[in-house]
Every structure is written in structure tokens, then in C-alpha cells.
Amino acid sequence: MRVFLGALFLLALSGGSAAEGKIFPFEYRLVQLENGFKAYLIRAGASRQIAYVTVARVGARDEWEPGRSGYAHFFEHMMFRGTEKYPNYDAVTSRIGAARNASTSIDVTQYYLVASSDSLEQIIDLESDRFMNLKYMEPQFRTEAGAILGEFSQGRANPYLYLMEKIQDTAFDRHTYKHLTIGFEQDVRRMPEGYQYSLSFYQRYYRPENCVLLLAGEFDFNEAERLIRKYYTPWKPGYVPPQIQAEPPQTAPREATAEFPGRTLPILTVNYKGPAWSAAEKTAAAAEVLGAVAFGPNSDIYKRLVVKEQRVQTLDGDFGLSRDPNLLTILTMVNRPDDLPAIKEEIQRTVEKFRTDLCDQKFLQDTKSAMKYGFLMSLETAQGVAFALRSFAVFTGGIEAVEEYYRTLDSITPEDVRSAAQQYLVENGRTTVILVPAKEGTK
Amino acid sequence: MRRHAIGILAVCALLSACSPAGGPRSAEGIITLSEPESPFVAFNIWVRCGSQDDPKGKEGLAAFTANYLSDSSTRNNSYEQILEKLYPMAAGYGANVDKEMTTFTGRIHKDHLDAYYALFKDAILAPAFREEDFNRIKSQTVNFLKQIRRFSNDEELTKELLFREIYRGTPYEHPEEGYVASVESITLQDVQDFYAKHYTRNNIVAGVCGGYPEGYGRKVRADFDSLPVGTAERAARPEPAPIDGIHFLLVEKNIKASPVSFGFPIPVLRPDRDFFPLMLFNSWMGEHRNSFSRLYQVIRETRGMNYGDYSYVEAYPRGYATQVPPVNVSRRSQIFEVWIRPIAMTQPGTLHDRTLFALRAGLREVSRIVETGMTAESFEETRGFLKNYTANFGATGSRRLAYRMDDSFYGYPDPGFLASIKPGLDALTLDQVNAAIRKYLQAGNMWVVIITQDAEGMKRKLLEGDADPHQLSGAAARPGDRGG
């Protein structure tokens, strides 16, 4: 009940137009059901369109049983196999001309449709039904395993996949972030035998308490609320949290080399153990800002190595955070293999600099502005709006945290950035992984 | 295009406020889409040149020049200053080069409109042509060609090679980014010469869309009028050679999954009467990244052979990266194209056999639909789908503007392609669609590109196999297979 009152309060605050002092400019309403399901109705985007985004808070992170990596992603495929009521999911979506797709990552599996507002009830019926009543037989399951292997094989032509695999496997011992979303190859090849396991996966993770709906577009809130209550209320709770092992603290620097069976420029990555995402914790926000300030496209090292000296093809400081503590990654594609040690040195020097010196105040302000306008610029279409809010739903189970997050971001000082560097960019938390072409004649 | 634009101006002078509020306005060289509620402004500067204008031996020059301009110093700002100014706006601009069109696009929040536009326009109007920028762009481009392009995306490779074979001997033959040797030979002088020749006042159409202030379109056009008048000739329309029989290009690579592309030229362009019939047929046959379509059902859905199978009647570069059609890749010559994503070893057999089976399945679907035509049921189903699906093609201001630039390329009559789709589909009949299928589709003359291990082995299988590549063994055809 309290949450329902909260929803009314939010509605009053928003008042039908962009509220003052808030970063998220659109009106929204929270509908929360007894079974724990939450739906956010958001008025935004192009005329007569809706984006229907279901965030299932399950991903590679939840694949804690040995031999079962890749199932969150596999399950994403199975969710299109049909139910008794709608045995052919795509026949329905194609009839209404909906664009639809899904994707899986380490923390989330998301399903989305973009369609005409006229199709609202049909979509609510269709989506609620498959989340509650998915049905598929073993032969269909086996066929889909083929397509998954196809996707896996297609990814093998991509050097970045080899690299990421090596990074995660080297940096993590226990936590499920040790494997990628696609899973370990041996687990993917074994998947055709996993029919029973896939059913138990569905029973444990595809439950109302573990899913959030982001419905953005032009539609009637009261009608949408009525329909959501009607179709999702029968969904039984029963979420079973995964038994993910906490990653023990890293006690020494680690190194590894990944070999790519093809040609590629060498790619150097320096990865540090970082914090989990948080809307309120300054150190988490400061860690994200640190990445942009120290290694982003306007950083000193970028200007020097990419622009002036052209010693690297690309340089990225991706300090984006995950639901659990993951890696802060500096990645660079180096133009000459013999330059690798020197580039590593450059990165180390930059790390040291940010641990000791305060970053430039103006540059910090520009960075915060870039993050804020980056968010605002993404709010053009109904789908864009829903996607922009997705990570909040993944990390917190709701979207309200968007305001607190940008307030926290706004409060970051040069001292906070330096503290984050001192806390996270430490030698014993570091994993260095390089990708090189495999030597001729090997593999 | 000129005559058309003058027509609109004349009519508007006679009947004031004839365009609906927010409707597109098009005068010579400027296209505006006013959307006063929008907090964004999108820009699109179309330069009438592309890879078809690359001088011989300098393939890739058009793309190089555009990339150079969009990523270098200007006379008013050094490259570093540009990056510094763009940074807090969370904005940027970029260029896209296709065979015929070069477009510079950007988008900004209203809060920063003037500061942003000053940088954006300078990229095209006031390049500094500094040596150090040139060296950086050249180094990045050559590295990309040598180390990255060839080795990390087999799917794009089959499509690229398909175009190369079909368009041999025409200006469409080479890939837009060129070859290693040709790009290595590009000098700063080449870039300046290309710029001087093609980036001229009468060779540019400017576009603005969104919540810009009154009169902004005129201001933008006036800025681009500062360029000199040019005399560049339009390249002749490419005439691909007629294809006699089924020609194979087998590319040998040590891979575990084989992609396939096949296709042939079709003489239908967007404004033609047969375009909507073909568009509807194509949606049924292989709508991009949709799973209900015929090819997808036959190869992936029923048999789990690969990630997806699609077909196209308009060029669709970098399809793996998008769910909606690319914009500003308009061309005067198009092909019908089938894209079979890498066939993997998901069941016992050999990769050669599985790949050739998938190819034969694709060819069989093309010959069957020519033979049988679509049914009334599938026609209505596809039409219903397409009318709703295409509503998403203009989801952003940038895309709505880009479609208007493409309208300008094709001389597409008002209200423009996007707005014409629904009425165009509504007016279609099944007979028209089937007549178009019979007229333009066939499975006997085309190019096929396959990337495979042991190319010699596959060649032997092809030569020693059934004389008619459309024959499928009894095990392959499934009972209950439904036709169109």
C-alpha cells in the first residue's frame, strides 16, 4: 500500500509537465502489484507509439551452477518459442507490425517491443502471457541450441570477444562475472541436453518480483494501469535468489595474454576491481567520473596518444559499473606491437597522476555536463526513454533513483575523484590482459 | 530537383501558409522540418558525391575526405579545441559516405545550438587542411584496412564482395573505404583537390530538423552559399553487366561457420511504380532481422542452421548494426540480395554440405515464389505488418530529416517516401505484387559469394553435384513446408 501511495505522490509532483529541478523531464506513474511486479508508465516519445520494455533482472551474473553458463542468454531465445495461448509469438508481433527484439548481458535480460499505441492491450496480453506461461518442448529447445551455437561461432570472428573472455576469466575467481554472457564454449555445446535445467531456470528467475516493466509512449495511463493489473495479477511470485559467491579480495596484480586466430592490432587492457553501481554512494559515482576524466576522449593521455602521437588506434576508459563489483577497464588498441610496454607505462603514469594530483576543476565540470547532456540527448524516442532508464531498473528494481544518481554525480569534487583513484586504481587490484594475433602455425 | 523546388515555392507564394505547420519545406538547396516541441535540433548536410567519384587509383578518397573533414581542425579551432568545446555538450558530428551520397550529420540539445552549429558548419566550410590531422586520419584508416576490416567481420565481407562482382567495371565496384594500396597513395593534396571539386555551393543540400528558431533554415543555407560554385559532372549511372548463369566466388578462410550472399541487379528504384510491390514481396521473403519471414523460417527456424536469413531490394550496408533501414545510402542502381548469416556445424555432416544446402534452400525459395506467387493470405498479412512496422522508420528527427534528403536524391514527390508508404501499400493489389515478382525475380542468373574452408573442396562439390542447384534431396525437403 505504501508504494501505491508513493506512486500517487510522484504523480502529483510531476503534475503533467516536466517538474522543476529534476533531470528526468517526463511524467510517470508506478503501478505495483501484490506479487511484487512493478510497471512504470511514462509519457514520452513520438506520437501514437509505445515502447514496451520488460527488464528481467537476470543475466550471466545469476548463472552460478557449474556447467550452466550461457543460460540467461539461451533463455532469451527460448522466450520467443510460444505459449498455449500464443503458440507463435512472431505471428502476433508481425501482425501488429511491432519491431521486437531482446538482449542479454551480465546483469539483465531485456525484452522490448515498439509498436503503435493501438496495440497496447494486445502487447500487455502477449507479454504477460509468455512471462507467466511459456511452453516449449524438447525438440524446439534443441533446435534453438543450434542457433545459439551459430551466434557463438559468429562471435568467434571478433577479437574483442576473445579479449573480454580472457579478462573476466583472469580477473575473477569465484564470482559469476568470471564468464561472459554467451557462456563458456563447452557449456554452449552441451546446451542441447539442458532442457530440464532450462525449465527450472524459468521457474526461479522469471518471476514478478524479479521483473520491471518500462512502458513509454503516448497512451492513457488509467487504461494501461487497468490492463496491467488485469493481466499480470495472476503471476505467482517465487523468485529464488542465485547463490553467487562473493569475489574474494584480489591480493596481487595479475597478467594474461589472449591469442586471436586472425589478424588484429594488439589490444592492451588494464583492469581494476571497482565498486558496485550506486545512486547514493559518492565513491561509486566518482569512479565513473574518474574513467572519463582520466582516460576519456578529452583526457590528456587520449589527446597525446590518439591525436598527437598516433601511437594507438583507440583509447577507452570504460568505468561503467555493474550490479555487483566488476572491473574498471582501460582499453587501447596499439598501432605497433613493440610499443606495448611504453603504452603500458603511459597508462601507469596516468593512474599515478590521478592518485596524487587533483583533476582540473573546469574539466570535471565539463565531464559532469557531458554525462548530464548525454542522458538528456538519449531521451528522444519512446524506446530511447525506456532504454535510458533501464539500468536504474536493473540495479535498483525501479527508476526513481535517476534523480538521486544525477544529484550525486553533480556533487562530485576533484577530491572525490582522487579518492576514487586511491581506493580503486591499486596495484593489487589490477589485471592486465593483452590480445595479440596467434602465431602462425599455432591453432 | 530544381524545377520541383521552384514549383513548390511558386505555389506557396500564391497560397500563403499552404504547408501544414511542421510540414517539410523545401527550397533550393535547403530542407527544413520544424518541430517546435522538440528540445533537439538535427543537421544533415548532403554533398552530392560518393565512392563512385573516386579517381582511378584513389579508391576510398571520397570516404577519406569526408572522414578527414569531420575529424580535423578548422580555420577557427584546432582539433583539440573542437573536442574540448563539444565535450560538455555531449555532442559530435560525423560523416557517412556511400556510393553516391556523402552526408554530414549532427544533433544537439537546444541549450547549445549556436555554439554547436558554429563548430559543425566550420567542419565543412572552413577546414584547415593541417598536415598533422591528415597524418592521423591516414594512419587510422590504413590501420583499419590492413588490420581490422578484413579479419573481423565475415558477414560484411560476403556482401561487399557480392557488390564488387556484380558491379565490376563500374564506379560501384570498389568498397567505399577503398583498398589498402589506393588509400596508402592518398595525399593531402588529393583531399584538397577532391574537396575543391565536389564541395561546392551547387553540389550541397542542407537540412535542419527540430526545435530551431524562426529563419534558421535560411541562415544555414546562406552559410553554405559561401562556397564557390562548382562544375563537377555527375558520374554516369552504373550499368552492371548482365549475368549469365550462376557465378560463384569462393573465399578461402579458416573459419568454423560459412556466410553466404547471393544476388543480381534489379532496375527498380524507390519512386518507381514497382517499388512498393517489391518492398512488400521482400518483407515477406526476408524482412531484415525479423523472424517470421520466409527465408528465416526455412533456414533458421525449422532447421536451426544459423542466426538469421534476410533479403533486400535496396542497399543495406552494416545491417548487423541496425534494426531499421540505413538512410542516405540512396543509389541509381540496386540489387536483389539475400544474406545468409554464417552456417554453423550444429548437427552431424560437413560444413560444405550444410552451407550448400542453405544456399540451395535460399535459391529454391526464390524460384518457388516466382513460380507460385504470393497467396492472398500472405499478401494481406505482410501488408498489415509493413504498414505498422514502417511507422518506426522515422522515429527520430535525424531520420525524418535523412529520409527527406533521400527524397531529394530520388526526386520523390511530396509528401515524401515515409508518408507515402501507408497509402502506397494500401493501393497495392496481389496481382501487382506477383507481376513484379515474375518480372524481376529469378534464380538462374546471379552471383553467389561464400566464405569457406577448403574452397577447392567446395568447388569440386559444386561442379560434381546436381546439374540443377535447386534440387534438394528428399531428406532436406520437409513435409508441411508451406509455399508463399
Side-chain angles (χ1 to χ4, degrees):
Chain A
M1 285 319 289
R2 196 186 254 178
V3 176
F4 187 64
L5 285 171
L8 285 175
F9 176 67
L10 278 166
L11 183 59
L13 238 198
S14 313
S17 60
E20 297 298 330
K22 290 189 156 242
I23 189 158
F24 187 68
F26 303 109
E27 180 193 354
Y28 68 86
R29 176 192 299 188
L30 167 62
V31 175
Q32 180 153 12
L33 308 184
E34 297 274 327
N35 58 16
F37 183 65
K38 287 162 88 170
Y40 287 87
L41 316 180
I42 305 153
R43 181 150 298 124
S47 57
R48 297 311 301 159
Q49 283 229 300
I50 51 171
Y52 197 96
V53 181
T54 311
V55 171
R57 300 176 69 204
V58 55
R61 167 192 178 268
D62 304 84
E63 296 159 356
W64 59 277
E65 295 111 317
R68 299 302 188 185
S69 68
Y71 269 84
H73 170 241
F74 190 91
F75 213 82
E76 175 217 310
H77 283 242
M78 294 317 299
M79 278 288 284
F80 290 89
R81 303 309 310 197
T83 63
E84 260 177 46
K85 185 173 185 184
Y86 294 111
N88 189 339
Y89 181 85
D90 284 321
V92 181
T93 59
S94 69
R95 192 169 29 84
I96 63 178
R100 63 116 193 109
N101 214 328
S103 64
T104 313
S105 63
I106 54 173
D107 290 332
V108 58
T109 313
Q110 55 143 6
Y111 301 84
Y112 64 91
L113 297 100
V114 180
S116 156
S117 307
D118 298 336
S119 303
L120 181 63
E121 177 159 13
Q122 171 70 90
I123 290 173
I124 293 176
D125 182 13
L126 182 71
E127 293 300 270
S128 61
D129 177 51
R130 70 173 172 159
F131 274 83
M132 284 189 276
N133 306 317
L134 188 68
K135 219 172 206 70
Y136 53 91
M137 308 319 295
E138 186 157 4
Q140 291 168 285
F141 177 85
R142 285 178 175 272
T143 302
E144 196 60 36
I148 298 279
L149 189 55
E151 194 179 340
F152 181 90
S153 304
Q154 176 206 331
R156 294 281 95 188
N158 185 338
Y160 283 93
L161 209 71
Y162 274 76
L163 176 61
M164 304 246 338
E165 222 173 41
K166 198 68 166 179
I167 292 170
Q168 299 300 130
D169 196 38
T170 308
F172 287 93
D173 298 328
R174 301 268 166 75
H175 192 279
T176 41
Y177 286 162
K178 186 173 177 67
H179 65 263
L180 297 188
T181 305
I182 193 80
F184 292 120
E185 180 165 359
Q186 66 265 28
D187 295 348
V188 175
R189 290 201 176 270
R190 269 187 57 221
M191 268 174 185
E193 316 309 320
Y195 175 65
Q196 288 301 332
Y197 177 79
S198 78
L199 296 177
S200 96
F201 191 93
Y202 177 69
Q203 289 306 320
R204 285 176 287 145
Y205 299 115
Y206 280 75
R207 301 253 63 88
E209 323 91 296
N210 202 37
C211 297
V212 179
L213 169 62
L214 305 173
L215 171 52
E218 191 188 334
F219 58 95
D220 183 81
F221 273 17
N222 292 333
E223 181 62 6
E225 174 163 357
R226 185 186 70 78
L227 292 168
I228 285 166
R229 287 185 183 283
K230 171 184 170 190
Y231 285 99
Y232 282 96
T233 295
W235 197 2
K236 305 239 177 317
Y239 170 61
V240 178
Q243 295 166 37
I244 303 166
Q245 293 185 57
E247 180 68 17
Q250 186 175 331
T251 54
R254 301 179 183 186
E255 288 193 7
T257 302
E259 292 197 349
F260 177 63
R263 274 172 58 178
T264 176
L265 287 176
I267 306 174
L268 163 67
T269 68
V270 182
N271 311 273
Y272 292 94
K273 291 281 165 61
W277 184 93
S278 167
E281 293 288 333
K282 272 193 146 198
T283 50
E288 289 186 282
V289 171
L290 171 63
V293 163
F295 296 100
N298 279 59
S299 61
D300 287 340
I301 188 176
Y302 186 98
K303 289 184 198 172
R304 206 156 24 85
L305 295 184
V306 181
V307 183
K308 271 210 174 53
E309 295 169 14
Q310 293 150 36
R311 289 161 71 189
V312 306
Q313 192 82 340
T314 57
L315 175 67
D316 278 300
D318 178 12
F319 287 24
L321 306 180
S322 306
R323 188 169 172 183
D324 292 338
N326 204 342
L327 301 172
L328 309 175
T329 296
I330 302 142
L331 180 148
T332 179
M333 180 179 269
V334 178
N335 285 338
R336 287 180 3 248
D338 56 9
D339 209 9
L340 271 167
I343 300 292
K344 226 203 278 193
E345 263 299 305
E346 293 276 0
I347 291 175
Q348 207 41 53
R349 264 201 291 277
T350 302
V351 165
E352 283 317 308
K353 177 160 173 290
F354 279 87
R355 287 170 54 86
T356 44
D357 301 342
L358 290 177
C359 64
D360 179 69
Q361 176 76 270
K362 173 169 188 303
F363 188 44
L364 176 60
Q365 282 311 111
D366 284 350
T367 299
K368 293 195 281 186
S369 170
M371 291 169 84
K372 173 185 162 192
Y373 277 98
F375 177 70
L376 290 176
M377 294 274 278
S378 71
L379 305 176
E380 184 172 6
T381 61
Q383 182 182 349
V385 169
F387 278 18
L389 295 171
R390 192 182 43 200
S391 52
F392 298 98
V394 174
F395 298 141
T396 71
I399 67 171
E400 294 82 353
V402 64
E403 298 300 335
E404 181 169 32
Y405 176 75
Y406 281 97
R407 275 199 304 272
T408 305
L409 209 53
D410 211 35
S411 73
I412 299 298
T413 63
E415 285 77 13
D416 295 324
V417 173
R418 182 171 59 184
S419 297
Q422 287 167 349
Q423 184 171 355
Y424 299 115
L425 305 188
V426 297
E427 189 180 340
N428 287 339
R430 185 184 68 215
T431 300
T432 306
V433 179
I434 297 175
L435 178 92
V436 294
K439 296 188 189 37
E440 301 283 26
T442 67
K443 192 331 182 195
Chain B
M1 193 221 110
R2 263 191 188 190
R3 194 145 18 118
H4 172 67
I6 289 173
I8 285 192
L9 273 176
V11 168
C12 281
L14 288 172
L15 311 162
S16 58
C18 68
S19 260
R25 290 177 185 275
S26 175
E28 290 188 22
I30 178 75
I31 291 172
T32 56
L33 289 179
S34 175
E35 297 173 356
E37 299 296 306
S38 171
F40 310 112
V41 178
F43 293 93
N44 187 318
I45 306 298
W46 165 32
V47 186
R48 296 174 187 269
C49 64
S51 63
Q52 69 180 0
D53 301 291
D54 291 336
K56 216 148 187 66
K58 301 282 181 183
E59 290 80 7
L61 181 55
F64 191 102
T65 302
N67 288 335
Y68 175 86
L69 294 172
S70 65
D71 203 19
S72 295
S73 314
T74 65
R75 292 201 293 273
N76 294 317
N77 285 286
S78 71
Y79 183 59
E80 289 79 2
Q81 283 174 317
I82 294 170
L83 293 180
E84 224 170 272
K85 291 182 180 181
L86 287 173
Y87 182 56
M89 308 187 217
Y93 46 81
N96 187 61
V97 174
D98 193 62
K99 309 264 183 217
E100 307 237 15
M101 293 181 88
T102 295
T103 44
F104 292 84
T105 54
R107 183 171 157 261
I108 189 63
H109 193 281
K110 265 202 301 209
D111 292 352
H112 302 123
L113 178 59
D114 290 338
Y116 175 81
Y117 175 64
L119 298 172
F120 178 73
K121 76 170 180 186
D122 272 359
I124 303 159
L125 297 176
F129 291 120
R130 283 191 202 171
E131 198 76 43
E132 71 241 30
D133 290 327
F134 174 78
N135 291 335
R136 170 174 45 85
I137 299 291
K138 182 152 180 189
S139 157
Q140 275 174 2
T141 309
V142 171
N143 269 326
F144 168 73
L145 292 177
K146 278 186 163 163
Q147 308 287 353
I148 299 165
R149 178 183 62 166
R150 212 182 292 172
F151 301 97
S152 57
N153 198 332
D154 296 329
E155 298 187 294
E156 284 305 286
L157 181 59
T158 56
K159 293 157 111 190
E160 195 63 71
L161 289 172
L162 180 67
F163 274 85
R164 192 182 74 166
E165 294 309 324
I166 291 175
Y167 285 102
R168 264 214 197 275
T170 78
Y172 276 21
E173 176 181 337
H174 60 271
E176 293 80 275
E177 63 270 22
Y179 301 114
V180 172
S182 61
V183 172
E184 275 183 326
S185 79
I186 289 175
T187 64
L188 181 53
Q189 191 59 52
D190 290 331
V191 174
Q192 288 175 282
D193 291 344
F194 192 90
Y195 174 83
K197 182 169 183 193
H198 296 281
Y199 286 68
T200 59
R201 169 161 138 193
N202 47 320
N203 216 29
I204 287 181
V205 176
V208 201
C209 168
Y212 54 82
E214 178 77 37
Y216 209 76
R218 279 192 299 279
K219 164 183 149 63
V220 170
R221 184 63 237 175
D223 287 335
F224 284 86
D225 280 344
S226 68
L227 287 169
V229 173
T231 53
E233 298 132 29
R234 187 77 5 90
R237 182 174 52 188
E239 301 288 351
I243 308 172
D244 181 22
I246 302 182
H247 295 250
F248 284 83
L249 175 69
L250 305 179
V251 180
E252 177 146 322
K253 189 173 176 185
N254 185 17
I255 46 168
K256 290 199 214 170
S258 283
V260 179
S261 284
F262 68 80
F264 48 88
I266 49 171
V268 178
L269 299 178
R270 209 174 263 189
D272 296 341
R273 210 174 42 107
D274 281 332
F275 182 79
F276 284 126
L278 281 186
M279 181 181 176
L280 186 143
F281 148 74
N282 185 69
S283 186
W284 173 84
M285 179 61 113
E287 181 69 53
H288 180 70
R289 297 184 77 175
N290 272 270
S291 50
F292 62 85
S293 58
R294 183 65 189 163
L295 288 171
Y296 188 105
Q297 288 290 317
V298 168
I299 300 173
R300 169 170 164 167
E301 192 66 9
T302 313
R303 297 170 172 90
M305 299 189 84
N306 65 358
Y307 194 39
D309 311 274
Y310 314 108
S311 64
Y312 307 89
V313 291
E314 281 188 308
Y316 214 103
R318 290 172 298 284
Y320 62 88
T322 174
Q323 187 94 11
V324 285
V327 285
N328 299 152
V329 294
S330 297
R331 301 176 182 185
R332 287 172 294 167
S333 175
Q334 298 281 5
I335 70 173
F336 172 71
E337 180 189 352
V338 169
W339 179 35
I340 295 174
R341 301 188 82 168
I343 300 292
M345 279 306 301
T346 51
Q347 277 168 46
T350 72
L351 191 52
H352 281 170
D353 285 341
R354 293 181 67 72
T355 306
L356 292 178
F357 174 83
L359 168 63
R360 288 183 181 125
L363 293 175
R364 169 185 178 239
E365 290 308 315
V366 176
S367 18
R368 266 170 48 145
I369 199 59
V370 172
E371 225 176 295
T372 67
M374 289 180 67
T375 63
E377 187 192 341
S378 56
F379 168 76
E380 289 301 342
E381 240 172 46
T382 306
R383 175 155 66 180
F385 161 80
L386 211 43
K387 278 167 59 176
N388 279 318
Y389 191 65
T390 51
N392 204 33
F393 286 3
T396 64
S398 304
R399 284 185 63 88
R400 289 190 286 280
L401 181 59
Y403 270 103
R404 294 301 294 180
M405 311 308 273
D406 288 329
D407 288 338
S408 187
F409 177 97
Y410 285 120
Y412 205 99
D414 271 352
F417 176 66
L418 270 188
S420 301
I421 295 175
K422 267 200 182 137
L425 292 173
D426 276 336
L428 277 186
T429 66
L430 176 61
D431 284 343
Q432 279 175 311
V433 173
N434 285 335
I437 292 172
R438 279 193 305 274
K439 186 169 177 186
Y440 301 110
L441 276 300
Q442 45 81 27
N445 303 300
M446 65 178 63
W447 273 96
V448 180
V449 180
I450 306 177
I451 304 183
T452 178
Q453 298 169 348
D454 185 17
E456 279 299 327
M458 179 174 270
K459 178 178 173 182
R460 272 196 302 279
K461 279 206 152 94
L462 279 167
L463 295 176
E464 289 162 10
D466 301 322
D468 175 357
H470 309 155
Q471 301 260 358
L472 293 172
S473 71
R478 297 282 177 95
D481 267 359
R482 286 184 6 229

